[in-house]
Amino acid sequence: MIFLVILGFGLIVVVEVPSLIRRQYWRELVVFSFFIFVGLLLTVFLTLGVELPYIDVGLTKLITGLGEALGLKPG
Amino acid sequence: MTRSVVYVVKKKWVLLVILLLLSGCWDRKELEKLAIVTGIGIDYGEEGDDYQVSFQIARSGEVKTPGSSSQDGGGGGGGSKSVWLLKSKGATIFDAVRNATLQSSRRLFLSHNQVVIINKEVAEKGLLPVIDFLIRDHEPRLNEWLLITREQAETILSLESGLEKISALAIADLMRNYYLSSKIRAVNLHEFAGTLLAKTTENTLPIIGVVKTDQEKGMVIEETGIFKSDKLIGYLNKKETRGLLWVLGKTQDGVVVVELPGEEGKVSLEIFGAKSKISSKVSEGKIRFEIDIAEVGSLGEQTSYANLSSREKLSLLENLKAKVIVEEVEAALKKAQECKADIFGLGEYLQRQNRKEWEKVKDNWGELFPHLEVKVKVKTKIRWLGLLTKPTILEQIK
Amino acid sequence: MEEGRISSSQLSLLAISYLIGTTFLLSPGSQAKQGTWLTILLGLGEALIPVLIFTTLAKRFAGKSLIEINDLVWGKIVGKLFSLVFLWYIFHLGSASFAIFVALFKTTVLIATPEVILLISGLLSCIYVSKKGIEVIARTNEVLILITVLLLILGFLLVLNIFNANNLFPVIEIPITRLLWATQESSSLFGQTIVFMMIFPYLNRRKSCTGAIIKGLVVAAILLMSSAVRTTGVLGKISESYIFPNYETDRLIDIGNTLTRLEILPVLNFLTMGFIKSSVSLYVTSLGTAQLLNLRTYRPVVIPLGILMIIAATQNYPDISSHLRFVENIHPIYALPVQIIFPLITLLLAIIRRLPCQGENQ
Amino acid sequence: MIRFLLRKFGLAHLRKESPSTPEGKLLHSDLEENLALFREELGNSPDVIIRRFTLNLRNELKSAVLFIDGLIDQQVIYDSILYPLMIEAKKEKWAVKGHLIDFIEDNLLTVGGVDKDDRMPGLVAAVLAGDSVLLVDGCDQALAISTKGWEKRSITEPDTEQTIKGPREGFTENIRTNTAMLRRKIADPGLKFEQMKIGERTRTKVSIAYVKGIVNEKLVEEVRRRLKRINTDMVLDANYLSEFISDAPFSPFPTVAFTERPDVTAAKLLEGRVAIFVDGTPVVNTAPTLFIESFQNPDDYNFHFLFATMIRWIRYLAFFLGILLPAFFVALTTYHQELIPTPLLISMAAAMEGVPFPIVIEVVAMGAVFEILREAGVRLARPIGQTISIVGALVIGQATVAAGLVAAPTVIVIALTAIASFVVPTQQEIGIILRLGLTFLAGILGAYGILVGLLLTLIHLTSLRSFGVPYLSPVIPLSIEDQKDVIVRTPLWAMWTRPRSIGWPRPIRQGFGQSPTSPEETAGKDWSRPDDKKG
């Protein structure tokens, strides 16, 4: 499974990077590789079954927290 | 530009192809690997509260149709019966459904299930635990018909229909053609569930039974069961059932038989359609309902010798018919009030028509309903006489 | 960065699809029971406030995207902060629409198929169209919206035989406070059109943005209201206990016992709308990121962001009902800063600072 | 990207290399030497004929006519070259003034096209093109006399584009004949041909045709540019060019259209398109090409418009059936059985009892079988081909079903698809590709797969352009007035504008409101074209 993930990402890199290099888009290349790396990291985590936090839950906590801080009643 | 764009295209397809190679076909269910369930019967098992669910499965091989060109339908096993009755036990319905696959070589496919037949005991204990799976799961259809039976549900499903190869389809058609007699209260799963959510209205379901002739057994819709929330508590006979249908405005066809005073023989008047209008009045804290039923029909048959084709005779008949209808409705009302079950949905009319009053009474509607006074007014018409002006008989014979 | 130009009518069509993209499935303000359509109507009215605010902002800085406006008005750091929040919001919207459709498919059509496959195969089209640029998105949308509207009308005709007008009354069954909250909920959904702040610069007639967006809003509202009426009319009381009321309505279609179980068609049809929503979100996120980091082209970041988006989709919510609660209770507040507060204070500061100075945008 | 790959594989130098061009050798004044030159250029292949004779004007001169047998018209050579030079020249004593060659050209040769040249390449080219070269001893110049004439196929109706009503003529292999046929259709001075030679070795005559005043000049310029770009050694058919000049070379959708019919070409030119004639093939390229053109058939305009409209809808329907039917079948029978009405489902299940393979496999396999049969039928001589395809189809269809290898519904579906796919000939190739892809997707993800496939296709289509014109126009971007020839085929008198996306420089095609009316209404009506008045 991990192998497939790596393969997929490798494919994307192979497909995207050459044109960037050819046009000397170094800045874009940096950004691209950063995001790709993050994506790869998260995907690997997911495939390894690491529990990542849920967005909605986090936002709910944040906003209710804010609401209480501001002394409003939470939605 | 073009080049890079096109290159993007190629890239995507490459990705897609790889994706497909990686992927199998998860949800594929081959048509010939399906056990097409047409009817479900629900009984209690012998011991305790676990269910015995019986599935009527169509043996597609046996159901010979012009479309099918493949010879002697494969796995069916030469049995001439075109359906297979499969019984399985389980703590819950879903459990039983999955346990069924211990016996069946094919995956049970519920999407084409037509009827759910539920044993009386189960109905008296409450239907909700039974129907929840049927609503929650994506496979069963919401417009499958619910029926109650005094027999074991499996016996009903094991009955042969006179005409159809698959009896469940026959039952479904019975339900669809309820209006021919207007003595069946046909309710499908969705309607039942919807009514369960209603604050005041109570459910009614048809009761199916077995009719025995000397050599063979057939099925028949006997009467209608009254529910309090999801529990079966009472019954309406055929007459009362039609009374209910009159109020619900579901009477579209059928026959009203009246006797002419002073003449022997009967006259059967065909119903061409009826509308009902329910209005609620509140005066000095008492709630009154008025049910107006407007009916149009024709002279269907006469077994008496009188010549009825005169206006006054017809209006007489109209009055007689009106009387019969009133009787039917009042009978139904009486039964409903005995059961404290507002099967007509009068409460909702109250809610729509005068909201405040409803707000007050909605919580003890069950207690209030039996003491409601309901006025029934029926207007009937006889517009057509069939193809005869007068009985085909010479006056002087009689 | 983006060569394409779109007409204002195309923009309205985009707005329509963006609004009904996911809303069709989990209909907004369904807590208002029979009053759903009413809350949508009120929500539309309320939504005009944010729309007018940010379109005024857009007109003031003609040809500038929200990111650039933020930089201009707030300077580099604060501006980028605001832009970041905005981009996160859009990104979240996109991932949410992915997630909702996965939920739909996992519960209805493709039970056993792993989410990843659904997500990736959906993402392919989104990446593809986003790379093609706004022009292609708009044109693709033209076709899809046409089909959608046709199918909606068809859906209406097909349920006429089981439509029961009595279910529509009484209109208001819930306390007024909840009604107001539901209104706020639907208005916050309409406010999502702020996403087009990134697309206004590519209008061929820039001044027409307000009209275009409002047209889109109105049509979308009409569509949503009609579908809400249809749902309540057909399902009645039970509608609020379903997760996907619209889907259930189509499950009930039964024409002469032959035309039954057509639910797959509307599902796919809504899916196309969701596709547009995800694509626009992905496109805008990439474009915004590119502008934020002053890249020369946004195309390289599309794929990585897309991947992040579907990862976010898998991590969006533990279960669909909790997401419903989120949309009902949290989103209205969560959307406030992005939809109203930031644009408003930006506009005010711009007025105070007399921005844009002459010759800065013309 | 291609450049990138080439560099990667070190093939870059191949692109630099271009066929060598022979440098121009001058003629000598001696006849023998000149002939020797020609021999070394042309070799002494048997079809190169050198006819020596003596030309006697005031004194006897050794001369020769050189031509290639089979490319020339014998009659012309004898009557208009040899006879005057050998017989007429004797009759009276000429006073030769000026240069001898000029004198001959002016006074003796009774042929249309004669031009003078003193360099080998031009003359050799002329000889190869079917002219004959006259060499006179003592002159370092030669005359290339046009004596072209060879066997031609007569004008017949094209087999690929048959019509029920309408003209029965189709283009031939000869470019002159073709251009002439077009001239006969359009007697407008605006109709222009631009000749150019493409192909280093074949030197194929290619001419761009367009109607000045209707066509968009930029378009013509673009076509010229793309044709000039081409640097290949052979052009044997119109496709040799279209593959070089199409916008999206990888797209399966044709962005350059083909036709063999003069009437179609004329119509397209008058809509503002450009046609590219290639010598040696009856096929003519027209551009820009819209997707919708595949559904517009010449007969649409030869029949009553209501009927034509109906037929066009049938065509749309058939196109979608041909692409989608197998996919839908697979999706329905393996994923969405709930959509099938119960009785039908049961009977289908009965039909599929005991069929060993998954339906996807069945469908794909049967599709492949059908394609094989079709190919065989096309390539073989017509009578055999038909028998083979029919018999094969019948036998295979019957046998497989009877043997229970394939379910009857599958066969029905495939057959229907096959028939449907023939209705829109120009989109057949795409039909095959899409059908296969969608069927696979349907087999894997059901209707969702189909949707994904269709989405990708739609995106691709919307992003396509043909010579700058959006491929899907006038549907996307929508132009209402062009729907007159898309959704419906309105009466011809109602089609008073040209397609917006193509013929826009001169939008008005004809006077407005010419619907036939009663004479007295028609009386004082002005039917002259608005844009004529303004210039």
Side-chain angles (χ1 to χ4, degrees):
Chain A
M1 197 56 210
I2 287 285
F3 170 73
L4 289 182
V5 171
I6 306 285
L7 187 93
F9 278 84
L11 189 82
I12 294 171
V13 169
V14 167
V15 146
E16 279 285 311
V17 169
S19 59
L20 290 179
I21 295 175
R22 195 170 71 250
R23 281 183 269 164
Q24 280 109 28
Y25 277 9
W26 306 124
R27 199 182 166 83
E28 286 75 3
L29 186 59
V30 173
V31 178
F32 170 82
S33 14
F34 169 72
F35 280 128
I36 266 295
F37 176 71
V38 177
L40 180 60
L41 213 60
L42 291 175
T43 322
V44 170
F45 280 168
L46 285 179
T47 39
L48 291 178
V50 181
E51 277 293 323
L52 298 179
Y54 287 105
I55 298 175
D56 283 6
V57 179
L59 283 172
T60 315
K61 282 211 186 68
L62 176 71
I63 286 171
T64 42
L66 276 180
E68 276 144 11
L70 300 176
L72 308 169
K73 67 152 186 60
Chain B
M1 179 54 203
T2 333
R3 187 180 289 152
S4 65
V5 167
V6 169
Y7 182 54
V8 173
V9 183
K10 276 165 52 204
K11 186 163 59 190
K12 287 293 163 301
W13 283 108
V14 169
L15 271 176
L16 194 60
V17 166
I18 286 183
L19 171 78
L20 298 192
L21 291 184
L22 301 185
S23 64
C25 323
W26 300 269
D27 286 292
R28 210 177 84 235
K29 26 188 201 302
E30 289 291 328
L31 197 45
E32 65 267 25
K33 301 277 185 302
L34 290 180
I36 302 164
V37 178
T38 54
I40 297 180
I42 298 172
D43 301 306
Y44 277 131
E46 286 75 14
E47 69 281 354
D49 61 345
D50 70 339
Y51 297 98
Q52 175 193 320
V53 184
S54 32
F55 303 92
Q56 188 187 62
I57 297 167
R59 280 218 187 89
S60 49
E62 300 303 326
V63 187
K64 281 275 173 292
T65 43
S68 74
S69 70
S70 82
Q71 287 71 11
D72 64 286
S80 66
K81 277 173 67 72
S82 56
V83 294
W84 175 40
L85 197 65
L86 164 59
K87 307 186 198 64
S88 79
K89 289 190 168 47
T92 65
I93 304 298
F94 200 7
D95 186 30
V97 169
R98 285 305 154 93
N99 288 344
T101 50
L102 299 173
Q103 306 166 51
S104 140
S105 60
R106 304 180 180 180
R107 177 190 194 287
L108 260 62
F109 186 60
L110 298 177
S111 282
H112 282 274
N113 181 30
Q114 302 289 323
V115 296
V116 179
I117 295 174
I118 299 156
N119 177 271
K120 179 160 153 298
E121 283 79 28
V122 181
E124 280 161 351
K125 286 278 285 297
L127 280 187
L128 194 64
V130 177
I131 60 172
D132 179 76
F133 163 74
L134 297 174
I135 302 175
R136 188 182 298 272
D137 191 60
H138 74 287
E139 251 188 24
R141 43 183 63 200
L142 284 173
N143 52 9
E144 59 196 346
W145 302 104
L146 289 179
L147 294 93
I148 307 294
T149 177
R150 290 205 177 81
E151 321 283 330
Q152 285 292 88
E154 61 181 272
T155 49
I156 299 291
L157 284 177
S158 63
L159 293 175
E160 299 245 345
S161 156
L163 298 170
E164 311 297 328
K165 284 220 166 59
I166 300 169
S167 59
L169 300 185
I171 298 175
D173 287 336
L174 266 180
M175 291 294 123
R176 277 188 208 95
N177 304 336
Y178 76 95
Y179 56 86
L180 290 179
S181 65
S182 297
K183 288 175 183 172
I184 305 173
R185 172 86 173 102
V187 180
N188 65 20
L189 184 54
H190 163 253
E191 186 180 351
F192 186 85
T195 318
L196 274 185
L197 281 179
K199 198 107 182 67
T200 56
T201 315
E202 301 298 351
N203 264 310
T204 45
L205 283 185
I207 310 276
I208 189 169
V210 182
V211 56
K212 289 189 182 57
T213 59
D214 41 18
Q215 68 275 38
E216 65 183 6
K217 298 196 296 180
M219 66 193 82
V220 59
I221 304 294
E222 288 161 342
E223 41 189 7
T224 304
I226 303 176
F227 281 71
K228 186 84 179 165
S229 82
D230 67 335
K231 293 176 180 53
L232 178 65
I233 55 168
Y235 301 92
L236 297 172
N237 61 24
K238 295 203 182 60
K239 181 179 166 198
E240 295 156 346
T241 305
R242 191 155 77 187
L244 171 62
L245 292 185
W246 284 117
V247 180
L248 298 178
K250 284 183 180 296
T251 318
Q252 298 169 19
D253 204 337
V255 168
V256 178
V257 179
V258 297
E259 289 183 37
L260 282 172
E263 310 256 357
E264 79 283 7
K266 294 186 171 60
V267 179
S268 45
L269 303 164
E270 186 179 5
I271 304 161
F272 273 16
K275 291 193 193 60
S276 78
K277 185 168 154 302
I278 298 177
S279 49
S280 64
K281 300 210 183 3
V282 183
S283 55
E284 64 270 2
K286 276 187 62 57
I287 304 167
R288 259 188 230 78
F289 281 96
E290 185 170 308
I291 303 176
D292 300 301
I293 298 171
E295 187 270 359
V296 181
S298 81
L299 176 53
E301 172 194 24
Q302 71 179 75
T303 57
S304 73
Y305 292 88
N307 177 358
L308 302 170
S309 55
S310 68
R311 189 59 248 176
E312 50 278 5
K313 277 277 176 43
L314 287 180
S315 46
L316 171 66
L317 284 175
E318 286 172 354
N319 297 338
L320 289 171
K321 180 159 67 167
K323 208 173 277 111
V324 175
I325 294 173
V326 172
E327 280 168 15
E328 288 178 348
V329 172
E330 276 167 349
L333 258 170
K334 190 156 156 299
K335 184 64 69 68
Q337 291 185 321
E338 284 168 12
C339 303
K340 297 195 171 83
D342 175 10
I343 54 178
F344 308 95
L346 296 179
E348 290 184 27
Y349 285 96
L350 183 65
Q351 178 186 14
R352 289 197 207 97
Q353 287 164 0
N354 25 19
R355 185 75 180 284
K356 294 183 215 53
E357 190 60 27
W358 185 74
E359 292 296 343
K360 275 186 261 158
V361 300
K362 67 181 177 193
D363 294 325
N364 58 351
W365 184 252
E367 297 315 310
L368 202 95
F369 177 70
H371 314 302
L372 290 176
E373 73 182 64
V374 180
K375 181 118 57 62
V376 182
K377 281 164 63 188
V378 178
K379 294 216 333 296
T380 65
K381 262 208 197 66
I382 296 179
R383 289 289 305 280
W384 296 278
L385 302 178
L387 299 178
L388 295 178
T389 57
K390 57 187 198 312
T392 57
I393 185 167
L394 292 173
E395 289 299 329
Q396 54 268 37
I397 284 182
K398 57 186 280 280
Chain C
M1 180 163 304
E2 165 65 63
E3 310 78 14
R5 288 280 176 276
I6 63 172
S7 72
S8 59
S9 59
Q10 282 177 322
L11 179 65
S12 333
L13 290 178
L14 270 178
I16 297 172
S17 336
Y18 197 84
L19 288 176
I20 67 183
T22 52
T23 342
F24 250 133
L25 282 173
L26 359 132
S27 54
S30 55
Q31 46 181 324
K33 298 199 170 75
Q34 297 91 330
T36 309
W37 62 271
L38 186 62
T39 61
I40 295 172
L41 193 59
L42 298 174
L44 173 65
E46 186 185 336
L48 291 183
I49 303 164
V51 168
L52 287 177
I53 291 175
F54 65 72
T55 45
T56 334
L57 190 58
K59 283 201 200 130
R60 190 178 178 88
F61 298 83
K64 290 263 187 301
S65 76
L66 183 56
I67 308 276
E68 296 158 338
I69 296 175
N70 281 339
D71 283 358
L72 270 176
V73 178
W74 295 99
K76 287 278 168 270
I77 298 85
V78 189
K80 291 215 182 303
L81 208 65
F82 280 16
S83 310
L84 213 56
V85 178
F86 170 76
L87 287 181
W88 160 258
Y89 180 65
I90 302 304
F91 177 83
H92 183 204
L93 284 185
S95 72
S97 92
F98 267 119
I100 287 166
F101 279 97
V102 168
L104 175 67
F105 271 85
K106 287 291 283 185
T107 44
T108 58
V109 191
L110 303 167
I111 314 299
T113 314
E115 293 180 35
V116 190
I117 301 300
L118 300 174
L119 284 169
I120 294 178
S121 48
L123 181 64
L124 276 174
S125 337
C126 293
I127 290 178
Y128 184 18
V129 76
S130 307
K131 282 215 171 198
K132 296 280 183 141
I134 186 65
E135 209 168 307
V136 174
I137 298 182
R139 288 192 186 150
T140 316
N141 178 49
E142 279 183 57
V143 185
L144 297 182
I145 194 90
L146 185 71
I147 300 169
T148 309
V149 171
L150 288 182
L151 276 183
L152 281 178
I153 295 169
L154 185 70
F156 242 108
L157 300 182
L158 286 180
V159 295
L160 278 185
N161 58 346
I162 49 176
F163 186 91
N164 175 7
N166 285 341
N167 292 338
L168 299 178
F169 304 98
V171 172
I172 300 170
E173 208 176 332
I174 57 166
I176 198 71
T177 53
R178 287 193 59 72
L179 187 71
L180 289 181
W181 185 261
T183 308
Q184 168 59 24
E185 175 194 345
S186 53
S187 100
S188 72
L189 288 170
F190 285 119
Q192 291 177 354
T193 37
I194 183 119
V195 68
F196 294 104
M197 282 296 284
M198 294 298 297
I199 295 177
F200 288 148
Y202 309 118
L203 271 176
N204 49 15
R205 292 201 325 284
R206 293 205 182 105
K207 292 293 168 203
S208 62
C209 58
T210 319
I213 289 292
I214 288 181
K215 268 190 220 119
L217 278 177
V218 171
V219 178
I222 290 170
L223 291 178
L224 286 174
M225 277 195 284
S226 54
S227 80
V229 168
R230 167 170 174 263
T231 313
T232 26
V234 171
L235 294 177
K237 292 259 182 306
I238 199 171
S239 71
E240 75 233 40
S241 60
Y242 284 129
I243 296 181
F244 305 119
N246 246 317
Y247 168 82
E248 299 293 342
T249 314
D250 293 303
R251 270 182 81 185
L252 279 169
I253 291 175
D254 181 355
I255 304 297
N257 196 30
T258 49
L259 216 57
T260 56
R261 301 299 300 270
L262 297 177
E263 64 252 29
I264 186 67
L265 301 178
V267 165
L268 297 181
N269 174 16
F270 299 151
L271 183 63
T272 56
M273 294 292 98
F275 155 75
I276 292 293
K277 182 164 189 173
S278 314
S279 309
V280 172
S281 308
L282 178 56
Y283 171 78
V284 165
T285 321
S286 327
L287 195 65
T289 319
Q291 290 182 355
L292 201 64
L293 309 170
N294 351 315
L295 307 182
R296 274 158 291 187
T297 162
Y298 71 93
R299 291 196 169 77
V301 294
V302 170
I303 291 185
L305 281 177
I307 292 170
L308 289 180
M309 199 176 263
I310 59 172
I311 294 173
T314 57
Q315 289 304 308
N316 215 309
Y317 45 74
D319 60 287
I320 180 74
S321 68
S322 74
H323 180 66
L324 288 182
R325 276 196 299 282
F326 177 82
V327 174
E328 264 185 21
N329 305 328
I330 305 302
H331 180 266
I333 309 172
Y334 167 52
L336 272 180
V338 182
Q339 289 179 0
I340 302 183
I341 301 174
F342 289 176
L344 186 58
I345 53 179
T346 316
L347 185 60
L348 293 179
L349 189 63
I351 295 170
I352 293 163
R353 289 183 52 191
R354 294 212 173 55
L355 287 170
C357 321
Q358 290 317 315
E360 199 160 64
N361 57 338
Q362 275 77 8
Chain D
M1 190 55 212
I2 292 170
R3 204 183 307 117
F4 179 73
L5 280 177
L6 285 173
R7 197 186 308 122
K8 197 176 253 172
F9 301 129
L11 298 171
H13 66 280
L14 288 182
R15 298 173 59 259
K16 306 282 173 296
E17 182 260 359
S18 66
S20 63
T21 52
E23 78 293 340
K25 276 206 200 106
L26 280 168
L27 285 180
H28 305 273
S29 60
D30 176 27
L31 175 64
E32 293 309 320
E33 291 184 11
N34 287 342
L35 290 176
L37 279 177
F38 274 99
R39 281 214 197 74
E40 91 185 32
E41 273 289 338
L42 298 169
N44 44 10
S45 45
D47 60 344
V48 179
I49 310 289
I50 298 176
R51 172 70 160 80
R52 296 159 178 283
F53 61 94
T54 51
L55 161 70
N56 50 5
L57 298 167
R58 61 185 182 286
N59 52 354
E60 299 202 341
L61 286 169
K62 286 213 269 34
S63 317
V65 178
L66 182 143
F67 54 84
I68 292 183
D69 194 7
L71 290 186
I72 48 89
D73 184 347
Q74 301 281 357
Q75 211 55 37
V76 177
I77 297 234
Y78 298 143
D79 296 357
S80 324
I81 301 176
L82 296 179
Y83 184 79
L85 290 181
M86 296 165 71
I87 316 299
E88 297 287 337
K90 286 209 191 67
K91 290 193 177 156
E92 65 221 58
K93 280 279 157 259
W94 295 94
V96 178
K97 47 186 92 67
H99 202 289
L100 179 58
I101 284 291
D102 301 335
F103 178 80
I104 295 175
E105 179 176 358
D106 298 345
N107 302 325
L108 290 172
L109 295 177
T110 56
V111 190
V114 177
D115 48 14
K116 197 165 50 170
D117 197 348
D118 60 350
R119 288 177 178 279
M120 286 302 290
L123 292 170
V124 171
V127 169
L128 289 175
D131 295 354
S132 43
V133 172
L134 171 66
L135 295 158
V136 180
D137 197 13
C139 300
D140 58 357
Q141 288 178 317
L143 291 179
I145 310 160
S146 96
T147 55
K148 295 191 185 64
W150 51 76
E151 298 307 316
K152 294 176 192 159
R153 185 166 64 90
S154 62
I155 295 176
T156 56
E157 178 169 24
D159 302 327
T160 53
E161 304 170 70
Q162 306 251 356
T163 55
I164 302 166
K165 288 165 75 180
R168 292 266 179 279
E169 60 179 3
F171 286 128
T172 67
E173 280 73 11
N174 182 340
I175 189 167
R176 276 288 145 264
T177 326
N178 296 351
T179 50
M181 285 162 92
L182 199 60
R183 282 262 182 227
R184 277 217 308 284
K185 291 253 183 275
I186 307 174
D188 175 29
L191 173 60
K192 300 272 189 280
F193 294 98
E194 288 182 13
Q195 185 100 326
M196 57 174 75
K197 278 203 169 54
I198 302 181
E200 284 301 331
R201 305 286 171 203
T202 56
R203 307 250 181 87
T204 315
K205 290 206 209 70
V206 174
S207 57
I208 313 172
Y210 58 91
V211 180
K212 209 166 179 56
I214 296 176
V215 73
N216 182 345
E217 292 299 337
K218 284 203 216 63
L219 171 63
V220 182
E221 188 37 57
E222 178 64 16
V223 175
R224 258 188 236 115
R225 216 198 82 248
R226 296 193 185 182
L227 286 176
K228 291 252 167 48
R229 250 192 64 246
I230 300 175
N231 170 10
T232 175
D233 67 337
M234 65 173 176
V235 175
L236 301 179
D237 177 60
N239 196 40
Y240 281 64
L241 293 184
S242 61
E243 290 210 353
F244 276 100
I245 64 176
S246 78
D247 292 58
F250 290 102
S251 164
F253 293 88
T255 46
V256 178
F258 301 87
T259 181
E260 289 191 41
R261 302 184 62 87
D263 49 342
V264 174
T265 319
K268 290 190 172 177
L269 287 189
L270 289 175
E271 279 185 341
R273 290 191 173 82
V274 171
I276 302 168
F277 288 79
V278 179
D279 194 11
T281 171
V283 182
V284 170
N285 285 334
T286 61
T289 305
L290 305 183
F291 187 61
I292 196 71
E293 283 176 44
S294 321
F295 301 89
Q296 294 166 333
N297 180 296
D299 265 341
D300 289 1
Y301 310 95
N302 306 341
F303 281 101
H304 186 273
F305 66 93
L306 288 177
F307 176 70
T309 305
M310 198 191 70
I311 292 298
R312 184 162 298 173
W313 288 347
I314 296 283
R315 246 178 249 130
Y316 294 139
L317 176 69
F319 177 67
F320 283 109
L321 273 187
I323 287 175
L324 286 176
L325 193 57
F328 270 141
F329 178 67
V330 169
L332 276 186
T333 47
T334 52
Y335 285 89
H336 312 297
Q337 289 94 346
E338 69 269 11
L339 267 90
I340 311 174
T342 313
L344 177 59
L345 179 80
I346 291 174
S347 61
M348 278 175 79
M352 294 186 175
E353 282 281 347
V355 173
F357 311 109
I359 294 169
V360 193
I361 309 286
E362 271 182 46
V363 170
V364 172
M366 288 306 283
V369 169
F370 160 69
E371 292 303 334
I372 293 169
L373 285 173
R374 192 179 58 88
E375 191 63 11
V378 172
R379 298 283 165 249
L380 281 168
R382 194 144 282 116
I384 316 171
Q386 284 173 356
T387 34
I388 283 200
S389 48
I390 292 169
V391 170
L394 284 180
V395 169
I396 292 184
Q398 285 290 340
T400 45
V401 173
L405 294 176
V406 174
T410 318
V411 177
I412 298 169
V413 164
I414 291 298
L416 187 50
T417 315
I419 297 164
S421 67
F422 282 122
V423 175
V424 185
T426 49
Q427 297 287 358
Q428 250 185 46
E429 303 84 347
I430 304 106
I432 296 169
I433 298 171
L434 285 184
R435 201 182 308 146
L436 197 63
L438 288 175
T439 313
F440 268 121
L441 282 169
I444 285 151
L445 289 173
Y448 175 64
I450 299 181
L451 187 78
V452 171
L454 285 180
L455 269 182
L456 287 171
T457 320
L458 178 66
I459 300 166
H460 175 59
L461 275 173
T462 44
S463 66
L464 267 186
R465 283 174 175 278
S466 164
F467 288 82
V469 179
Y471 192 54
L472 279 187
S473 67
V475 182
I476 327 170
L478 185 71
S479 83
I480 300 297
E481 72 268 29
D482 283 352
Q483 300 306 315
K484 65 187 183 305
D485 199 11
V486 176
I487 297 175
V488 293
R489 203 281 273 170
T490 53
L492 291 169
W493 44 260
M495 300 189 182
W496 63 288
T497 57
R498 302 200 169 85
R500 171 182 280 276
S501 51
I502 297 164
W504 212 229
R506 266 289 182 78
I508 309 297
R509 173 190 274 151
Q510 64 198 16
F512 178 67
Q514 297 184 52
S515 56
T517 50
S518 57
E520 58 273 14
E521 288 180 41
T522 316
K525 197 175 249 176
D526 171 20
W527 277 352
S528 67
R529 313 170 24 166
D531 62 342
D532 279 356
K533 287 217 210 78
K534 63 174 147 64

